[in-house]
């Protein structure tokens, strides 16, 4: 059993990660600006927290075995969040990443493709910048976990493929459910294989 702090626990991905953590018997501090929106469950403690309030967030994170952040990249200041995690002295840090920084060919990122939707470009660019920020750190055991291009509600099948930097796709496109993503993320928490690195998932 681990003690995990989950930032963004009421969101689409965050709520599935919370459910997966709870089902496996982990003790989770579920953090959101509106804690009343957090799903209750075994081992879940809902707490109000804001990524913009660095010192207060650091105090909430302190004493956990790991921190998971599941927050849109445009919704926080990278330096404030990194500083809060470092100040908490929690060394293990997992980030729900984005697909935009994944490669579709050698050296070509998905977000740089001509048909990449403009509506998602700012978020994808911010996510890629955050990955670069993490790569510059030498005092956190971070992991950046990128989903497939289509990150959507679905089923918990437990059947998926993992990779490193290349977008995973099949004949039907590139997709992963929030539920299966949560399975793989908690697997990584329990048995770390991508410390100070990025990995990805897809069907």
């Amino acid at each position: 059993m681990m003690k995990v702090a989950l930032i963004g626990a009421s969101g689409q991905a965050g709520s599935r990660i919370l459910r997966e953590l709870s089902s496996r018997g982990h003790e989770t501090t579920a953090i959101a600006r509106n804690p009343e929106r957090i799903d209750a469950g075994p081992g879940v403690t809902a707490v109000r927290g804001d990524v913009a309030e660095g010192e207060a967030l650091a105090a909430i994170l302190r004493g956990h075995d790991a921190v998971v952040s599941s927050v849109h990249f445009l919704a926080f200041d990278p330096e404030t969040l990194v500083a809060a995690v470092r100040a908490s002295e929690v060394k293990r840090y997992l980030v729900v990443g984005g697909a935009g920084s994944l490669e579709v060919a050698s050296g070509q990122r998905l977000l740089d493709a001509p048909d990449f939707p403009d509506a998602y470009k700012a978020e994808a660019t911010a996510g890629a910048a955050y990955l670069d920020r993490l790569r510059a750190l030498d005092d956190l055991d971070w992991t950046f976990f990128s989903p497939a291009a289509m990150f959507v509600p679905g089923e918990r099948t437990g059947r998926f493929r993992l990779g490193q930097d290349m977008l995973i796709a099949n004949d039907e496109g590139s997709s992963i459910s929030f539920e299966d993503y949560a399975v793989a993320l908690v697997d990584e928490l329990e048995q770390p294989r991508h410390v100070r690195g990025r990995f990805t998932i897809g069907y």
Side-chain angles (χ1 to χ4, degrees), residues 99-111:
S101 58
L102 291 168
E103 294 183 4
V104 292
S106 182
Q108 182 185 354
R109 300 181 303 176
L110 178 63
L111 73 88

Side-chain angles (χ1 to χ4, degrees), residues 20 44 47 56 58 74 102 109 117 136 150 158 160 190 200:
E20 188 70 25
V44 175
V47 174
L74 291 176
L102 291 168
R109 300 181 303 176
M150 296 298 294
F160 44 77
E190 294 176 343
T200 186

Side-chain angles (χ1 to χ4, degrees), residues 2-32 34-47 64 68-70 96 156 178-179 181-183 185-186 189-190:
M2 298 177 67
K3 189 174 182 182
V4 181
L6 173 59
I7 306 168
S10 63
Q12 291 269 44
S15 61
R16 271 72 165 195
I17 295 167
L18 179 61
R19 194 177 308 155
E20 188 70 25
L21 287 166
S22 178
S23 72
R24 298 199 201 182
H26 297 294
E27 184 180 333
T28 308
T29 301
I31 304 164
N34 299 292
E36 67 277 4
R37 297 180 182 172
I38 294 170
D39 295 334
V44 175
T45 301
V47 174
H64 290 81
V68 178
S69 65
S70 179
V96 176
R156 184 190 187 281
F178 293 122
E179 290 78 5
Y181 178 95
V183 172
L185 185 142
V186 180
L189 264 178
E190 294 176 343

Side-chain angles (χ1 to χ4, degrees), residues 54 58 77-89 130 133 140:
D77 173 66
E79 295 308 318
T80 299
L81 182 51
V82 166
V85 176
R86 292 166 95 177
S88 75
E89 299 184 348
Y130 198 61
R133 180 68 185 91
L140 277 183

Side-chain angles (χ1 to χ4, degrees), residues 97-180:
S101 58
L102 291 168
E103 294 183 4
V104 292
S106 182
Q108 182 185 354
R109 300 181 303 176
L110 178 63
L111 73 88
D112 296 325
D115 57 349
F116 190 84
D118 287 340
Y120 301 118
K121 186 151 281 189
E123 176 72 16
T125 301
Y130 198 61
L131 174 58
D132 288 341
R133 180 68 185 91
L134 294 175
R135 284 172 168 158
L137 298 175
D138 58 8
D139 59 348
L140 277 183
D141 292 333
W142 60 269
T143 298
F144 190 94
F145 185 21
S146 290
M150 296 298 294
F151 195 21
V152 293
E155 297 180 11
R156 184 190 187 281
T157 70
R159 298 186 301 273
F160 44 77
R161 293 182 290 155
L162 299 176
Q164 207 76 41
D165 292 308
M166 296 294 293
L167 182 75
I168 295 175
N170 56 30
D171 292 341
E172 298 176 357
S174 174
S175 68
I176 192 67
S177 70
F178 293 122
E179 290 78 5
D180 276 339

Side-chain angles (χ1 to χ4, degrees), residues 92-95 141-145 188 194-197 199:
R92 189 76 175 105
Y93 177 43
L94 280 82
V95 176
D141 292 333
W142 60 269
T143 298
F144 190 94
F145 185 21
E188 173 68 21
H194 304 91
V195 176
R196 300 196 182 186
F199 74 118

